[in-house]
Amino acid sequence: MLYYSAHLVPPNYSGNATGAIGGLVDGADWEHQELMKQAKNTFREWYLPDATREDVIYMLRDRDPGSFIIRNSISCVNSFSLGIKAPPYPPQAAATSDFLRSGQVKHFIIGTVPMYDGRGDGVQLCGFNDQPVFPALTDFVSHHCLHPGPLPCALRLPSSISASQQRLGGYDSITKYGVPAGGSGIMVDMLYLGCVPVDRLEKSAAIRKAISHILSLAATSVNGLPKRCEVTIHAKPTEGVKFTDRSKRNLVEKHLKPSQILFCGSDPEGRNYVDAGLRNRGFVHAKTFGILIRKKQLWMHENLVYVFSELDPNQSAVTLINYISHTFTS
């Protein structure tokens, strides 16, 4: 049985770092103090002790670089695991397949070690030389918001009220990790880009192929994407997913039944859809995603992917993806 030292270094523990020694952060620094307050106010957002590695990847894969979650480590006794969304690789560097499959989420171990001044146990980033020791996780987090050190980027604290809680406030209930459940469903506005047959490809492979086809068509076709239009998507547990053309010009109206929906996910390669219309709205990085369904005709069937991108910076594709994944494909 594993025992954790979380009671020795609770995430909301107010360690006195003033006049710190042995690598501790100087608590008199105003910016650090402000970050400490924010870290304490939001610790329930970033400290999820019983989350799994898969939970962390799922929650961070579509978040901004620097977003992070700390959980109790399963493999290392008296330690924590830090999952952080890393920045994308530069174009000239090749990302590994494992890195892409993990949604660009990297993992680090935070160990519990004796404090230099004998005040009990502290926490320290493992695997690197000369790392400072902190009296609590909040000190560790606030320091690495300013000084990333060996981490791929600086940590990024959530707002005092989580974005997911704000977006999902109208739903009947929320699952443990922020995925809406039950009730009247979810309604969002997105940009519909087209539908692509993908033979019998499944999950991320199907999404990747469909988005590659759509982006290639958008870049090379004189007429662009003929089915491109703004749509309202309404997903309900009992009815499936419906989306309709907001302007009614293209008369796009689709109903994807719950039994048809196989998978929903963002582009595994993290590509964005960019065009003049979105740029004019000030929306430069619109996430692309797809809904994979199975279409049956008599004894034959094929898989189709409906491809979308974000339309409004205030309506995240992540919320919709999480809802569809939890409601129809889990």
Side-chain angles (χ1 to χ4, degrees), residues 10 148 164 205 211 220 235 237 259 261 263 278 285 307 318-319:
S164 61
I211 291 177
T220 59
S259 59
I261 300 171
F263 182 77
L278 292 175
H285 303 293
V307 180
V318 177
T319 305

Side-chain angles (χ1 to χ4, degrees), residues 39 46 68 70 136-146 155 157:
W46 52 260
F68 69 98
I70 295 176
L137 288 176
T138 45
D139 298 84
F140 175 93
V141 166
S142 57
H143 172 78
H144 286 90
C145 286
L146 296 173
L155 298 183
L157 283 166

Side-chain angles (χ1 to χ4, degrees), residues 277-320:
L278 292 175
R279 282 197 299 269
N280 291 338
R281 297 185 181 197
F283 198 14
V284 180
H285 303 293
K287 292 182 184 297
T288 54
F289 67 99
I291 302 175
L292 173 65
I293 71 160
R294 177 160 294 166
K295 183 178 179 181
K296 293 184 178 180
Q297 291 183 334
L298 299 177
W299 64 89
M300 300 180 64
H301 74 266
E302 66 173 341
N303 292 346
L304 304 175
V305 175
Y306 290 92
V307 180
F308 304 85
S309 81
E310 292 174 319
L311 177 65
D312 183 343
N314 296 317
Q315 298 188 57
S316 170
V318 177
T319 305
L320 178 63

Side-chain angles (χ1 to χ4, degrees), residues 193 211 215 265-267 271-273 286-290 308-309:
L193 303 179
I211 291 177
L215 295 181
S266 57
D267 180 18
R271 291 167 293 184
N272 297 319
Y273 177 74
K287 292 182 184 297
T288 54
F289 67 99
F308 304 85
S309 81

Side-chain angles (χ1 to χ4, degrees), residues 196-216 267-269 271 303 305 307:
V196 180
V198 291
D199 299 321
R200 296 195 180 187
L201 288 178
E202 297 184 352
K203 297 187 177 181
S204 296
I207 302 298
R208 179 186 288 108
K209 178 178 179 179
I211 291 177
S212 295
H213 176 81
I214 288 292
L215 295 181
S216 175
D267 180 18
E269 298 181 22
R271 291 167 293 184
N303 292 346
V305 175
V307 180

Side-chain angles (χ1 to χ4, degrees), residues 176-204:
K176 186 173 185 179
Y177 295 121
V179 180
S184 59
I186 180 174
M187 183 180 293
V188 293
D189 294 328
M190 294 289 164
L191 190 63
Y192 175 59
L193 303 179
C195 179
V196 180
V198 291
D199 299 321
R200 296 195 180 187
L201 288 178
E202 297 184 352
K203 297 187 177 181
S204 296

